[in-house]
Amino acid sequence: MAEDLTTGVMGGNDSEVSSFISDDNLCGQTLVQIVGRGHTIIAELLKLAEEIPPAFLVATTLAEKHASQGEGKGDQSSSLLRSIFGGNIASEAEKNEAPFAQSTTDANFATNRFLPLLVDFSYLRDPDVYETQLRDMVGDDLVLDEVEEAFVSEHSDALIKFYQLFDSIFQYQLDLKTFVDDLETGYFIKYTVESVLLDPLGRQLMCEAVYLYGMILILMETNVKGGVRERLLIAFHRYCVKGKTIAPFQDICKLFRNSEKKSKVPVLDGESPQLLCGDEEKIFARFPLPEDFVRSPEILKEDVRTMREIVGKHFHDNWVISLYDGTIIDLSQEWGDRFPAAKEALANVLESWYVRELHEENARLIVHCMGEIRRYLVGGVLTENYVMDNATDLLDCMRCSNVVLRWRILHRLTHKKNLKEIICTKGDSLNSEVQQFPVLESAIIAMLLLTSQFELRLKAVFKRLVQTKLETWTACRSKASEQMTGLSKYFKGENALSHTRNDSLVKWFADMSVEINLINYEANTEHSTVTGRKIQLCMQALKDLEQFESIDRDRQAKEVLISTSDLMLQMVRAASIKEDVVDTIDCITDMRFARKVVSAFVPGLHSRVSKDPSTVSFLRGFILKLASFLRWPTTRLIQSKSSSLDLVTDLYASSIVKFVRKILAIIPSSVFGILTQIVDIKEKKLAILPLKVEVDVLQEYSQAEDRYALARLTHELSIFTEGILSMEKTTIGKIKLDPRRLLEDGIRAELTLKVSEALHQNLQFDVLHETTPDELVQYHASVLRSLKKLSSRMECFRRSIEFVQDYIGIPGLKVWFQEVSRVIEFNVRNEASKFIKKKDDDNHLRVHVQPVPIFPRTKNEPYCANFMGRMVTSLLKLSDPGSLMFSHDFNGWFLPDGSEICGAKHINNVRKSLGISGLLGIERLLSLRILHELRRFVKFYTTTAKKNGLLFEQIRDGLFPEWKCKENPVSFYKNAEEKTEKLMVPVMTCLCRVGQAQLLIKLIRQELQLSSCDRNPLFESLSVANDSVLNYVQTLSHNDGPEKQDQLSIDFFELLSQISAGSGEGNPLATTFLNTEPLEGLPALLVLFLMSTTKKVKYDTDFEALIRANGAYPIDGWPIVYGIVTLLKQFSPTYRKSFYAYLAQFIESAIQSFTSFLGGRSRKEDVLSLPIEVKHAIIFATQIDIIMGDSSLHEYIPQYVLELF
């Protein structure tokens, strides 16, 4: 496609191209390769300018701020170092004043901690001093090494890319200078500088090479600040090459140092310090080309005569120009006071009266051109015959339209206020003719759309004419010859319609037929002139023949002569169509001057499309007009056979496609606005029509006005859809734009925004100040209101997208589920980042057609990154073990008075609001919370084991052997509890949080299973597939070994796992969250924790659960049970057995001690009066055994004991 967009070669015809840049022409190939590299460098520069690491931008901004405040370099570096690393090296005042000193919880900390490592060329004054100062300020080499390692890991690729860019720019100017030197020394033999400049294409390439070098430097100055460049180079020098000397590094530093500094730059290996300024000539003068090759900047300052000549030739009616990438330059500002001669020469052009004349003339031409284009665009006008007859007029209209558009678009951006008022006037000061058409932005947009549509149609006709030119010529010649042969037979008198014979005419027409057949099509210009002369003589002969009496009286013969003349005229017109007419149109319609400016017209385009949906049909021509920017850089790359063609094409094409999507975004936005109104009418106004309606009440169901409004909105929707679907498939570069795909992508983008906004706005909850029953009830009510409001909103979106799918031909429900899942999954990953050290790659979720928006954190819940975090936090508050009681039978959390706060009904409301993907996201965050708590517990236990290893050893020795009852259990267990009392609070915190999360996951799994019951066949198929896969894997592992287990792909397992998770399959308690080293003594500690807990709870017969005995101990029984089971599942089954053994030992020892106290009696009433902690221990043991699911507790505790309570 790049070749399609660049079929024309700039600056010459095919012969010139083949002669100067042919494969055997070393001079031309060298020059065109240099130019091609220049285009590639600019593309890479523009791409990397958007990928500058944030830390470098922040560091440069802060340095400029410090410099503007008059702070020294050394002070700045010290402040940076102290503010980031803190410690006792900085005073509190310095920390408070540091503009970027932030805590580790700040989102920008990851960027700001690298700031001390980013220094400019002042580092080169004395690198050793800086390195020493940096380490002294940090104090801890390990901390500095960790930061530097993280910096290299994150930025090494970017540093290498930027250095390669700098090096390629340096090599470009070096190769260009070498090429000119080789020309002067005669290296290319038959070519010199003068001979190259005499060749049309060589002259263009030479000027283009110098122009590209200037554009590279200018774009580097505007897109990558000098401070950023210096910090990139120093960072590359320190961390990528470890301070080693690279040959061109010194020259690269001189070329890319900061040009905005007013102070002295550091000495670079013997270079004398000099002052730098921002003048362009200083930038170019760093590595100047030969003096006779470019004009000296002194002309702009002093040579008034030459500048008048230049202005009179090139700028007599314009002063706002566009550079390579669409950068707009106002010469009245750029030449200003810096160039007196240029300013004086341009002064006459900037006179108000003269600008007013230019403006009025431009306005008149806009009116005239729009009228002409509208006349041409009428259906059936631009036919092939009409285009051949009026080719010159059509091309003149096209050229005039583009000229007036270019002048109007560019000069609206002039910086001079008085001139801007004239050019942007609404027509009040113009004459009556121009006042009828004010030159507003809407008029410019209309002109753009009309011109682009006219160009699209006319270019298509010319392409067909060029392709069928030879066929048209041959057909017309054959038909004209046949008609002459027919007239020859006609005048023989043998025809039934002919009654006369004329032998002279017979011979004349026969000779003319032979003469017409001898006229051949010639593509060569010289031969085509001879051919045209022959056709002209034949036509004149036919016209003279019409004067003969015998012909003049014979109407039939006269009509044949006229028809033959018309055919020969068609031959002339077909031959007059040049092969390069399409290239001429491309040059005329070039719009690269407005590459950046056109974005300002997007709101106007959106407004126009909203008011007139039929405007959508004009957008394809506008898109192709924007794509004209691709022709210039890709032409040179094709000529030089560069391998960078795809890279450059993809870069510019992707930017154009991105802009096109931005333009077309109004369509799905308008569609959604219409859909909202349609859904409101259908849901709120239209009555449901029953199956049978009585005639008397039929009028009440008609609702004519509402149904008319519904029909009108549906019609508007169909116009939008018809407009975009009428666009043909368009290829820009290698990117294909499919209208149907664009529409679907637009719907997806708009849906993503709407859903994200709804989730963010509705899932914001009140602050829960206290966990009192009244506060919890109010909080639960506010959460429920938010969920119902969100559910209604999401249902409206779902019905809207379901309604539109029949009108625009897209899978609406599929789009709905995919986009909602993408939004939720992205926010889940964002929220989960605080639990995961290594972040997942979520680019495929965010960088989509429409990136998922990131909203700021709310004031009520600043610790939650988004709505998913707030949703999980609300569930945790509504299931707080310290304030509520969980009932295993009723499956929910209750207040002491029996009011349910969170249960299956509440989870059902969550599902209605967030869907299946929302529940899965909540489950994942809860699982990560469990993982986080287990990691903290393992870390705590490992640290505690080191400090209390002897204590744990004594307790285990005292409990050994587990099957034997303790002789004095009361004193032993009391002593053990007292010694481990300080450890119980962290254990209780971990178990309660883990158990609470597991109970919520259990409720979510149950809700998922219930929602899957409606799809019973699918659910059953899933169960069968899951069992079959497990049996298959087990068979392979036993029989064939692991080498054949890859027959089932990983993708299949992932798909099966996702579907299973969505249907609520699996037991959350069977999940292994982490692999850890064995924790010696953990079962004994858990038993001691249970023993301490049994004294602080009581058994509630209504809920059949152990609940807190009083408010001083915020403990709930079931979360502790689930927490213990989850913790034991992370270790070997021997831990569970040891736990049961220790627990059974405690219960049996306590019972034996109690019966000994009673004198050996074991009556039933005496057993029932066991101490409360023993009863509660038995209840805990029973509940743990039930949840554990293996029914192995009876192996340690007799069944009759377990059945006592």
Side-chain angles (χ1 to χ4, degrees):
M1 184 57 197
E3 296 180 0
D4 295 338
L5 292 173
T6 57
T7 52
V9 179
M10 301 176 298
N13 56 31
D14 294 342
S15 61
E16 294 172 331
V17 173
S18 60
S19 63
F20 186 74
I21 60 173
S22 60
D23 294 338
D24 57 352
N25 192 323
L26 180 60
C27 178
Q29 278 296 313
T30 303
L31 183 54
V32 77
Q33 287 174 6
I34 292 175
V35 173
R37 281 172 50 201
H39 287 289
T40 303
I41 289 172
I42 291 180
E44 292 177 349
L45 194 158
L46 296 176
K47 178 182 178 181
L48 289 178
E50 299 176 355
E51 301 175 1
I52 299 175
F56 289 86
L57 298 174
V58 174
T60 302
T61 302
L62 291 175
E64 293 174 353
K65 181 178 179 181
H66 281 266
S68 64
Q69 295 174 354
E71 297 186 17
K73 276 284 184 154
D75 296 337
Q76 175 191 341
S77 300
S78 300
S79 178
L80 286 168
L81 293 171
R82 292 192 178 107
S83 61
I84 293 298
F85 290 98
N88 52 13
I89 62 175
S91 63
E92 291 299 322
E94 287 177 325
K95 291 180 182 179
N96 294 332
E97 293 176 0
F100 42 83
Q102 303 185 23
S103 64
T104 56
T105 58
D106 196 301
N108 295 325
F109 175 76
T111 296
N112 292 340
R113 63 177 177 154
F114 298 139
L115 298 183
L117 309 179
L118 308 179
V119 290
D120 56 16
F121 283 174
S122 59
Y123 170 85
L124 297 175
R125 289 195 181 100
D126 199 337
D128 295 335
V129 172
Y130 174 81
E131 299 289 351
T132 303
Q133 182 185 16
L134 179 63
R135 293 195 174 274
D136 291 343
M137 288 186 175
V138 176
D140 189 350
D141 290 347
L142 293 177
V143 175
L144 179 59
D145 292 341
E146 180 182 353
V147 174
E148 289 183 333
E149 183 181 353
F151 174 81
V152 172
S153 175
E154 294 184 19
H155 299 91
S156 59
D157 292 341
L159 293 176
I160 294 174
K161 289 180 181 178
F162 272 99
Y163 183 79
Q164 290 175 347
L165 173 66
F166 296 152
D167 181 65
S168 62
I169 296 173
F170 174 77
Q171 292 298 330
Y172 176 85
Q173 60 84 29
L174 191 62
D175 292 344
L176 180 57
K177 189 175 186 301
T178 302
F179 174 76
V180 177
D181 293 339
D182 291 342
L183 281 175
E184 292 178 343
T185 57
Y187 176 78
F188 295 106
I189 303 177
K190 73 173 185 177
Y191 284 104
T192 62
V193 173
E194 290 75 15
S195 62
V196 170
L197 293 177
L198 287 175
D199 186 274
L201 183 57
R203 179 170 59 252
Q204 182 173 357
L205 287 172
M206 188 72 81
C207 296
E208 190 175 338
V210 179
Y211 172 75
L212 289 176
Y213 179 50
M215 280 307 308
I216 289 170
L217 295 180
I218 291 174
L219 291 175
M220 181 64 71
E221 290 289 328
T222 56
N223 291 276
V224 186
K225 290 184 177 181
V228 175
R229 296 196 301 269
E230 291 188 1
R231 285 167 174 80
L232 286 168
L233 284 169
I234 297 300
F236 174 81
H237 178 69
R238 294 182 63 211
Y239 297 110
C240 294
V241 297
K242 305 297 182 182
K244 297 179 182 178
T245 303
I246 303 178
F249 183 75
Q250 300 174 8
D251 296 331
I252 290 175
C253 289
K254 288 191 291 183
L255 180 60
F256 294 105
R257 61 192 175 193
N258 193 348
S259 299
E260 300 177 355
K261 294 179 182 177
K262 301 300 181 181
S263 59
K264 293 184 178 182
V265 300
V267 179
L268 295 174
D269 294 337
E271 178 194 7
S272 59
Q274 56 180 323
L275 291 174
L276 295 179
C277 64
D279 296 342
E280 286 75 4
E281 61 268 25
K282 292 294 184 182
I283 301 174
F284 284 91
R286 295 176 185 170
F287 286 91
L289 295 168
E291 293 183 359
D292 57 347
F293 190 63
V294 293
R295 295 197 175 208
S296 172
E298 297 300 326
I299 296 176
L300 293 168
K301 294 183 177 180
E302 301 174 359
D303 196 341
V304 178
R305 183 180 63 82
T306 303
M307 285 307 304
R308 286 186 183 276
E309 180 183 351
I310 293 174
V311 170
K313 186 176 181 180
H314 301 287
F315 305 110
H316 65 281
D317 60 353
N318 67 94
W319 63 96
V320 182
I321 61 176
S322 173
L323 297 183
Y324 179 93
D325 65 332
T327 301
I328 304 302
I329 301 297
D330 187 353
L331 295 180
S332 64
Q333 182 186 39
E334 292 298 322
W335 285 354
D337 297 330
R338 293 188 298 167
F339 306 107
K343 179 181 179 181
E344 182 180 349
L346 194 64
N348 294 334
V349 180
L350 302 179
E351 293 290 342
S352 297
W353 64 270
Y354 183 65
V355 174
R356 185 177 297 276
E357 287 184 359
L358 294 175
H359 163 69
E360 293 180 359
E361 181 63 22
N362 181 269
R364 294 189 191 97
L365 288 174
I366 288 178
V367 175
H368 172 74
C369 291
M370 290 188 69
E372 290 291 313
I373 292 174
R374 284 195 175 99
R375 182 169 62 85
Y376 291 141
L377 289 179
V378 174
V381 173
L382 290 178
T383 61
E384 293 184 359
N385 291 334
Y386 184 86
V387 170
M388 287 191 295
D389 292 342
N390 302 275
T392 303
D393 294 338
L394 292 171
L395 290 177
D396 287 343
C397 179
M398 182 188 297
R399 185 178 290 105
C400 182
S401 301
N402 281 274
V403 169
V404 297
L405 269 177
R406 181 186 179 98
W407 192 94
R408 178 63 57 179
I409 291 174
L410 291 180
H411 288 79
R412 282 168 57 90
L413 304 174
T414 182
H415 291 278
K416 283 189 170 295
K417 185 176 180 181
N418 60 326
L419 303 183
K420 194 177 187 68
E421 291 176 353
I422 295 174
I423 296 173
C424 297
T425 182
K426 296 183 179 180
D428 298 336
S429 60
L430 303 179
N431 55 43
S432 58
E433 178 184 354
V434 182
Q435 284 181 7
Q436 297 176 2
F437 189 80
V439 188
L440 304 177
E441 182 179 297
S442 58
I444 298 175
I445 293 174
M447 182 71 176
L448 266 174
L449 295 176
L450 287 172
T451 302
S452 59
Q453 187 71 6
F454 172 60
E455 294 167 357
L456 177 64
R457 293 188 184 180
L458 185 60
K459 186 176 180 179
V461 175
F462 271 117
K463 280 186 175 180
R464 289 199 303 270
L465 290 175
V466 170
Q467 293 172 355
T468 61
K469 180 167 63 172
L470 182 58
E471 290 81 355
T472 302
W473 171 281
T474 305
C476 291
R477 184 185 63 178
S478 300
K479 191 172 183 180
S481 177
E482 290 174 2
Q483 289 181 351
M484 292 296 97
T485 302
L487 285 176
S488 178
K489 294 179 180 180
Y490 176 78
F491 282 102
K492 284 183 179 181
E494 298 175 356
N495 195 319
L497 298 177
S498 176
H499 303 287
T500 59
R501 180 182 178 87
N502 192 329
D503 294 333
S504 60
L505 289 178
V506 170
K507 184 177 182 305
W508 192 92
F509 282 119
D511 293 340
M512 179 60 70
S513 175
V514 174
E515 187 69 25
I516 292 176
N517 275 326
L518 292 176
I519 300 176
N520 295 320
Y521 172 77
E522 298 290 348
N524 187 278
T525 305
E526 296 179 358
H527 294 152
S528 63
T529 303
V530 176
T531 301
R533 181 61 178 167
K534 289 181 179 179
I535 295 176
Q536 183 182 8
L537 292 175
C538 291
M539 293 175 63
Q540 185 63 40
L542 292 176
K543 186 176 181 180
D544 294 340
L545 187 63
E546 292 178 11
Q547 308 301 322
F548 284 25
E549 181 179 0
S550 58
I551 298 296
D552 187 56
R553 290 183 303 172
D554 194 330
R555 175 173 294 182
Q556 185 176 358
K558 192 172 183 179
E559 289 180 356
V560 173
L561 290 178
I562 295 173
S563 174
T564 305
S565 297
D566 292 339
L567 289 172
M568 300 189 71
L569 182 60
Q570 292 295 326
M571 293 170 61
V572 174
R573 290 169 177 168
S576 64
I577 298 175
K578 304 299 181 182
E579 298 288 343
D580 60 348
V581 64
V582 177
D583 300 335
T584 303
I585 293 176
D586 289 338
C587 293
I588 294 173
T589 60
D590 181 27
M591 200 181 174
R592 65 175 182 265
F593 70 91
R595 182 170 178 258
K596 292 184 177 179
V597 182
V598 74
S599 59
F601 296 120
V602 172
L605 282 169
H606 288 177
S607 176
R608 188 177 184 87
V609 171
S610 299
K611 295 177 182 178
D612 184 9
S614 61
T615 307
V616 175
S617 60
F618 289 82
L619 292 180
R620 182 172 183 267
F622 182 61
I623 292 170
L624 291 176
K625 191 174 181 67
L626 292 177
S628 61
F629 177 77
L630 279 173
R631 284 194 293 270
W632 186 21
T634 53
T635 296
R636 299 308 184 202
L637 295 173
I638 294 172
Q639 292 172 348
S640 62
K641 301 179 178 61
S642 174
S643 59
S644 302
L645 176 62
D646 292 341
L647 184 147
V648 176
T649 304
D650 291 344
L651 173 66
Y652 292 130
S654 60
S655 64
I656 294 173
V657 171
K658 184 178 180 181
F659 180 73
V660 170
R661 293 186 186 278
K662 185 178 179 182
I663 294 175
L664 298 179
I666 185 60
I667 297 176
S669 177
S670 302
V671 168
F672 257 87
I674 296 174
L675 282 176
T676 303
Q677 300 179 50
I678 291 176
V679 172
D680 288 342
I681 293 176
K682 293 184 67 177
E683 295 295 327
K684 299 179 181 180
K685 296 182 179 180
L686 290 182
I688 299 177
L689 191 65
L691 296 177
K692 295 182 180 180
V693 183
E694 296 181 2
V695 177
D696 298 338
V697 297
L698 186 60
Q699 183 67 25
E700 299 178 2
Y701 288 97
S702 62
Q703 297 179 282
E705 294 183 359
D706 294 333
R707 297 189 184 276
Y708 170 76
L710 182 64
R712 178 177 55 80
L713 292 172
T714 306
H715 176 66
E716 292 181 7
L717 182 65
S718 64
I719 292 177
F720 274 111
T721 306
E722 182 181 1
I724 193 169
L725 293 182
S726 64
M727 296 171 57
E728 299 177 8
K729 292 184 179 181
T730 307
T731 304
I732 301 177
K734 290 187 175 181
I735 303 176
K736 293 184 179 180
L737 294 180
D738 184 0
R740 188 176 297 275
R741 181 65 182 175
L742 285 176
L743 180 59
E744 181 178 337
D745 291 345
I747 294 293
R748 287 177 179 274
E750 190 66 21
L751 184 61
T752 298
L753 289 176
K754 296 288 186 183
V755 169
S756 298
E757 290 176 358
L759 291 170
H760 173 70
Q761 293 174 0
N762 289 282
L763 294 183
Q764 296 186 26
F765 310 115
D766 298 336
V767 179
L768 182 62
H769 299 285
E770 297 179 0
T771 57
T772 60
D774 293 339
E775 289 283 342
L776 284 171
V777 170
Q778 294 178 5
Y779 182 76
H780 175 256
S782 67
V783 172
L784 193 59
R785 286 194 301 270
S786 298
L787 290 177
K788 289 184 177 180
K789 185 177 179 182
L790 175 62
S791 176
S792 175
R793 188 68 173 165
M794 298 290 278
E795 181 65 16
C796 178
F797 289 150
R798 190 192 66 79
R799 293 194 177 189
S800 298
I801 197 68
E802 185 179 8
F803 179 82
V804 76
Q805 66 182 0
D806 297 328
Y807 291 90
I808 60 181
I810 65 171
L813 288 180
K814 178 181 177 181
V815 170
W816 162 258
F817 288 119
Q818 287 179 346
E819 292 305 307
V820 171
S821 299
R822 185 170 72 92
V823 170
I824 290 178
E825 186 176 354
F826 173 79
N827 284 275
V828 168
R829 294 197 178 198
N830 193 12
E831 184 69 32
S833 61
K834 60 186 178 183
F835 298 116
I836 304 174
K837 293 182 179 180
K838 184 179 180 181
K839 296 184 179 180
D840 296 335
D841 183 14
D842 56 4
N843 286 335
H844 68 287
L845 295 175
R846 185 160 193 262
V847 183
H848 196 59
V849 175
Q850 169 63 45
V852 179
I854 299 177
F855 298 97
R857 305 184 182 214
T858 60
K859 294 182 179 179
N860 291 348
E861 293 169 302
Y863 298 105
C864 299
N866 49 58
F867 66 88
M868 288 303 298
R870 295 193 294 272
M871 189 71 251
V872 173
T873 302
S874 70
L875 289 175
L876 294 175
K877 290 178 180 178
L878 293 175
S879 60
D880 182 21
S883 307
L884 300 168
M885 300 174 293
F886 182 81
S887 173
H888 203 264
D889 293 338
F890 295 100
N891 213 14
W893 281 268
F894 295 83
L895 290 171
D897 61 357
S899 302
E900 182 177 330
I901 296 296
C902 180
K905 186 177 180 180
H906 186 80
I907 300 299
N908 179 261
N909 289 325
V910 174
R911 182 188 61 81
K912 291 179 180 179
S913 302
L914 297 178
I916 300 298
S917 57
L919 288 181
L920 293 176
I922 294 174
E923 179 181 339
R924 184 185 176 191
L925 290 176
L926 290 173
S927 299
L928 288 173
R929 177 181 172 87
I930 294 173
L931 175 61
H932 177 67
E933 293 297 333
L934 291 176
R935 284 175 174 170
R936 288 182 59 187
F937 176 79
V938 170
K939 184 178 180 180
F940 154 77
Y941 192 89
T942 303
T943 305
T944 304
K946 293 180 180 179
K947 298 179 180 179
N948 303 285
L950 182 60
L951 174 61
F952 288 169
E953 189 69 26
Q954 292 176 351
I955 294 176
R956 282 191 300 169
D957 292 341
L959 294 174
F960 183 81
E962 298 88 346
W963 51 268
K964 184 178 180 181
C965 295
K966 300 299 297 179
E967 296 180 357
N968 191 5
V970 177
S971 61
F972 175 80
Y973 286 113
K974 183 178 181 181
N975 185 31
E977 287 182 34
E978 291 176 353
K979 291 182 179 180
T980 58
E981 183 178 2
K982 295 182 179 180
L983 307 178
M984 295 307 166
V985 174
V987 174
M988 181 187 69
T989 302
C990 172
L991 295 180
C992 287
R993 291 178 178 178
V994 170
Q996 178 190 15
Q998 283 285 34
L999 287 171
L1000 287 171
I1001 292 176
K1002 172 175 170 286
L1003 288 176
I1004 291 174
R1005 292 284 180 92
Q1006 291 175 352
E1007 177 62 28
L1008 292 173
Q1009 291 176 359
L1010 290 174
S1011 63
S1012 301
C1013 292
D1014 297 335
R1015 300 177 291 275
N1016 191 50
L1018 177 62
F1019 185 75
E1020 294 297 334
S1021 301
L1022 174 64
S1023 300
V1024 173
N1026 187 47
D1027 295 339
S1028 300
V1029 169
L1030 291 177
N1031 293 333
Y1032 178 75
V1033 172
Q1034 289 176 0
T1035 303
L1036 286 179
S1037 61
H1038 290 305
N1039 299 335
D1040 300 324
E1043 62 276 2
K1044 293 189 178 182
Q1045 293 186 21
D1046 57 351
Q1047 295 180 6
L1048 292 176
S1049 65
I1050 297 177
D1051 294 337
F1052 175 77
F1053 282 107
E1054 291 181 353
L1055 178 62
L1056 185 62
S1057 176
Q1058 292 175 2
I1059 299 177
S1060 299
S1063 61
E1065 286 290 292
N1067 182 9
L1069 291 172
T1071 304
T1072 302
F1073 290 94
L1074 79 165
N1075 294 322
T1076 182
E1077 296 295 329
L1079 302 182
E1080 299 295 335
L1082 178 61
L1085 182 64
L1086 291 178
V1087 170
L1088 292 175
F1089 168 75
L1090 271 185
M1091 290 168 52
S1092 63
T1093 304
T1094 54
K1095 304 173 184 177
K1096 305 170 184 176
V1097 296
K1098 64 180 180 179
Y1099 184 75
D1100 190 294
T1101 56
D1102 295 330
F1103 293 107
E1104 295 186 356
L1106 292 169
I1107 62 174
R1108 62 183 181 278
N1110 55 66
Y1113 299 101
I1115 298 176
D1116 191 20
W1118 280 111
I1120 292 177
V1121 170
Y1122 273 76
I1124 291 175
V1125 172
T1126 303
L1127 184 58
L1128 291 175
K1129 286 285 186 178
Q1130 311 309 308
F1131 301 94
S1132 170
T1134 56
Y1135 278 66
R1136 172 182 53 81
K1137 296 177 180 179
S1138 298
F1139 174 77
Y1140 280 168
Y1142 289 139
L1143 187 57
Q1145 184 183 39
F1146 164 71
I1147 294 174
E1148 292 176 3
S1149 299
I1151 293 176
Q1152 184 178 6
S1153 176
F1154 181 72
T1155 55
S1156 299
F1157 175 76
L1158 295 177
R1161 294 177 300 173
S1162 58
R1163 293 179 302 175
K1164 183 177 180 179
E1165 57 272 14
D1166 294 331
V1167 174
L1168 294 177
S1169 62
L1170 285 171
I1172 192 67
E1173 57 267 23
V1174 181
K1175 297 180 181 180
H1176 292 168
I1178 295 174
I1179 295 174
F1180 266 128
T1182 305
Q1183 293 177 345
I1184 291 173
D1185 184 57
I1186 294 173
I1187 302 303
M1188 192 71 74
D1190 55 2
S1191 302
S1192 60
L1193 183 61
H1194 66 275
E1195 298 177 5
Y1196 303 90
I1197 302 176
Q1199 188 67 27
Y1200 69 89
V1201 175
L1202 297 175
E1203 294 176 355
L1204 290 175
F1205 305 100

